[in-house]
Amino acid sequence: QTVVTQEPSVTVSPGGTVTLTCASSTGTVTDGNYANWLQQKPGQAPRALIYSTTNRHSWTPARISGSLLGGKATLTLSGVQPEDEAEYYCLLYYGRLQPWVFGGGTKLTVL
Amino acid sequence: EVQLVESGGGLVQPGGSLRLSCEVSGFTLGSYWMHWVRQPPGKGLVWVSRINSDGSSTSYADSVKGRFTISRDNAKNTLYLQMNSLRAEDTAVYYCGRLDVPCGGDCWGQGTLVTVSS
């Protein structure tokens, strides 16, 4: 059973920078895991932010970026704004038979 | 405008069946692999199933394998999830959508709630 691990909660000050991480129980996260990041606010559907590790969707602001660092997938938010307060989920790809596994989500608080 | 609209959710008894639908507009369904994910009340997102562009290949999470069937009708711009032998732990909001592609609009629908309870 593959497990994807995220920080349960992170707090950041307005205007600050924060990096959320996404680790795999199978080892190093690579480009072949095609990390996706989704944002979800209370009572709303998830909204995709990043696909294939680093690619922004057309609505994703440039201050939000995805990368690989230290064996993990990361999501960095710069110049954090109050509206960034949300739950952030990463999703990793593991192959044809059971392709995708979500992390447990990180609750980002802007305070 | 890209839209994905799920329907078919509701209250069902344990052991019962439901079929969810996801009608899309604003993009060509047949050009994309499609996914279902779910979210139990108060919990995180869970990937459920995916189907390739022409419906010839499917995959499932272990928790639903053998009970759920994903399918699609590209001519009707509709994705389906047939759910049989439902259990209380299948209670969740079910979302349809696209993964790991530029969506040119919404990637995910607004969801439909499935409640399995006696």
Short mmCIF file of all heavy atoms in Angstrom, two decimals, chain B residues 12 22 44 57 61 73 85 88:
data_model
loop_
_atom_site.label_atom_id
_atom_site.label_comp_id
_atom_site.label_asym_id
_atom_site.label_seq_id
_atom_site.Cartn_x
_atom_site.Cartn_y
_atom_site.Cartn_z
N VAL B 12 -28.55 5.53 -0.40
CA VAL B 12 -28.73 4.14 -0.80
C VAL B 12 -28.40 3.24 0.39
O VAL B 12 -27.54 3.58 1.21
CB VAL B 12 -27.86 3.80 -2.03
CG1 VAL B 12 -26.39 3.99 -1.72
CG2 VAL B 12 -28.13 2.41 -2.56
N CYS B 22 -21.37 12.02 -15.29
CA CYS B 22 -20.61 13.28 -15.36
C CYS B 22 -20.73 13.79 -16.79
O CYS B 22 -20.10 13.25 -17.70
CB CYS B 22 -19.16 13.03 -14.99
SG CYS B 22 -18.03 14.41 -15.33
N GLY B 44 -9.95 13.70 3.52
CA GLY B 44 -9.23 14.12 2.33
C GLY B 44 -9.73 13.45 1.05
O GLY B 44 -10.60 12.59 1.06
N SER B 57 -9.31 0.95 -21.62
CA SER B 57 -8.45 0.65 -20.48
C SER B 57 -8.96 1.37 -19.24
O SER B 57 -9.26 2.57 -19.31
CB SER B 57 -7.01 1.06 -20.78
OG SER B 57 -6.19 0.89 -19.65
N ALA B 61 -8.89 1.93 -7.66
CA ALA B 61 -8.30 1.79 -6.35
C ALA B 61 -8.70 0.43 -5.78
O ALA B 61 -9.78 -0.08 -6.08
CB ALA B 61 -8.80 2.92 -5.45
N ASP B 73 -19.31 7.45 -22.61
CA ASP B 73 -19.96 7.53 -23.91
C ASP B 73 -19.53 8.86 -24.50
O ASP B 73 -20.10 9.91 -24.17
CB ASP B 73 -21.48 7.45 -23.75
CG ASP B 73 -22.20 7.39 -25.09
OD1 ASP B 73 -21.65 7.90 -26.09
OD2 ASP B 73 -23.31 6.85 -25.15
N SER B 85 -22.70 -3.11 -4.69
CA SER B 85 -22.32 -3.62 -3.36
C SER B 85 -21.81 -2.50 -2.47
O SER B 85 -20.74 -2.60 -1.85
CB SER B 85 -21.26 -4.71 -3.50
OG SER B 85 -21.71 -5.76 -4.32
N ALA B 88 -20.92 1.42 3.80
CA ALA B 88 -20.96 2.70 4.51
C ALA B 88 -19.72 3.53 4.21
O ALA B 88 -19.79 4.76 4.09
CB ALA B 88 -21.10 2.45 6.01
#
